[in-house]
Amino acid sequence: GIRDIGVTGVQTCALPIFTFPGALIGKNALTTTSTNPTLSASPGATTNYQWAEEFNGVAKSRPNSDSWKYALDWNNFIVGTQPDLVEEDGNGNLAIGMQKCDDGSWNGGIIHTLGKTAFLYGKVEARIKIASDPGWFSAFYMFGEDVAHWPTCGEFDIQEAGPWNDFSSSGTIHGNYAGTTTDWNGGGGFSTNVPYNRAQLSSGYHVYGLQWTPTTIDFTLDGVVYKSFTKAQVIRDGGTWPFDVPEFIVFSIYPYQQSLPNVQPGTVLRGQVLVDWIHYSKYQGYGTVIDR
């Protein structure tokens, strides 16, 4: 059963190791513009948001049900999670955790806006404290709503922290090669890593962002662009541009490898990822919130 560490309800465990679209990072990338961002815990913020979640509820409260749902289940990529792994912590954060199941497998916390809220173009940013252990894959994604047909739905990986050479975070785009349903770069997409290690980023909060127009995609860290892609570059390299449709948001954490904490089965680890806020606004005149 569940260890008594303040968790209510009954958890149902899923797969020992999850597989998730976009969970592979390839070595090849488009020729793009890159800069080295300067870390800042509190970059300048705007207030003209079209949509925002501040997660200022009381401890153990659920995020706004008008926007958020728990777990994904398409083509068996994700079997699911119970909502007890995703809750507000009473300190202004969305807290996403993990559970070690009775059989020794792990269950991950996942929350998303599919079927609730979608976004077309614009600027999205989230202030996140990422998971510190490299065995935990923590991520902030966006997918096209036809996600069952990935990769043709398109995908933005705004923040991914995984075990590959202890990289801290990366920005990645996923799509398909023209005339096929084959995903770019063997599932790795076109990607770049933030030039900081996981320890640097997991020690505090940082703002991870996407700037999206019909012809450009920028990934930002603390308000500074560190990678840019263009429609012309993608098409030149044989890809389609699947980024002209609404996309939904996902926050998740799940086990990627066995280098995980040595805790007793049934243990719930709370708050391995903390999301202070998420903000959405127009960018270069583009940006639409779609209520489903």
Side-chain angles (χ1 to χ4, degrees), residues 85-130:
L85 294 178
V86 184
E87 62 188 13
E88 299 190 38
D89 67 358
N91 295 314
N93 299 297
L94 176 70
I96 307 174
M98 301 280 294
Q99 177 199 354
K100 190 171 185 179
C101 306
D102 287 337
D103 64 1
S105 65
W106 285 84
N107 201 11
I110 308 159
I111 190 169
H112 66 94
T113 69
L114 179 61
K116 295 279 190 174
T117 310
F119 308 87
L120 180 61
Y121 310 128
K123 179 178 182 178
V124 59
E125 291 183 308
R127 187 171 184 261
I128 305 170
K129 188 176 186 293
I130 67 172

Side-chain angles (χ1 to χ4, degrees), residues 178-190:
T180 77
T181 58
T182 301
D183 47 296
W184 298 334
N185 201 19
F190 296 124

Side-chain angles (χ1 to χ4, degrees), residues 3-284:
R3 291 178 61 78
D4 185 14
I5 54 174
V7 178
T8 59
V10 177
Q11 301 273 347
T12 302
C13 287
L15 296 175
I17 298 294
F18 292 125
T19 303
F20 204 88
L24 300 173
I25 300 299
K27 296 180 180 178
N28 300 318
L30 295 167
T31 302
T32 60
T33 300
S34 298
T35 59
N36 288 331
T38 300
L39 293 175
S40 170
S42 301
T46 62
T47 57
N48 188 25
Y49 307 126
Q50 289 185 281
W51 180 89
E53 294 283 358
E54 303 293 339
F55 305 120
N56 289 329
V58 298
K60 299 187 181 302
S61 63
R62 302 300 182 213
N64 178 10
S65 62
D66 290 338
S67 295
W68 301 98
K69 296 195 295 186
Y70 303 99
L72 298 174
D73 188 0
W74 71 87
N75 292 351
N76 296 317
F77 284 123
I78 294 293
V79 173
T81 187
Q82 296 295 314
D84 289 309
L85 294 178
V86 184
E87 62 188 13
E88 299 190 38
D89 67 358
N91 295 314
N93 299 297
L94 176 70
I96 307 174
M98 301 280 294
Q99 177 199 354
K100 190 171 185 179
C101 306
D102 287 337
D103 64 1
S105 65
W106 285 84
N107 201 11
I110 308 159
I111 190 169
H112 66 94
T113 69
L114 179 61
K116 295 279 190 174
T117 310
F119 308 87
L120 180 61
Y121 310 128
K123 179 178 182 178
V124 59
E125 291 183 308
R127 187 171 184 261
I128 305 170
K129 188 176 186 293
I130 67 172
S132 59
D133 192 296
W136 293 326
F137 188 96
S138 57
F140 167 32
Y141 301 80
M142 294 182 75
F143 290 98
E145 293 174 294
D146 187 22
V147 67
H149 295 106
W150 186 92
T152 61
C153 64
E155 175 186 349
F156 301 125
D157 300 333
I158 302 170
Q159 180 276 310
E160 289 184 303
W164 305 277
N165 299 319
D166 192 36
F167 82 76
S168 55
S169 183
S170 69
T172 306
I173 58 175
H174 292 273
N176 56 295
Y177 290 109
T180 77
T181 58
T182 301
D183 47 296
W184 298 334
N185 201 19
F190 296 124
S191 179
T192 192
N193 294 345
V194 173
Y196 298 99
N197 64 37
R198 192 182 188 112
Q200 287 175 295
L201 290 186
S202 65
S203 65
Y205 289 87
H206 296 283
V207 177
Y208 303 87
L210 172 78
Q211 298 172 167
W212 172 24
T213 78
T215 58
T216 60
I217 296 164
D218 298 328
F219 290 106
T220 65
L221 174 65
D222 292 332
V224 177
V225 174
Y226 68 90
K227 191 71 168 183
S228 297
F229 298 96
T230 70
K231 182 176 183 178
Q233 290 168 334
V234 169
I235 292 174
R236 181 198 65 202
D237 280 40
T240 61
W241 183 261
F243 306 120
D244 293 318
V245 297
E247 300 218 357
F248 66 97
I249 291 168
V250 185
F251 290 103
S252 68
I253 180 172
Y254 65 97
Y256 187 85
Q257 61 184 25
Q258 298 302 326
S259 62
L260 293 162
N262 184 19
V263 297
Q264 295 183 30
T267 301
V268 173
L269 302 173
R270 294 193 172 282
Q272 304 307 302
V273 171
L274 299 175
V275 183
D276 182 12
W277 48 252
I278 180 169
H279 297 157
Y280 177 84
S281 57
K282 285 186 176 293
Y283 176 69
Q284 295 186 355

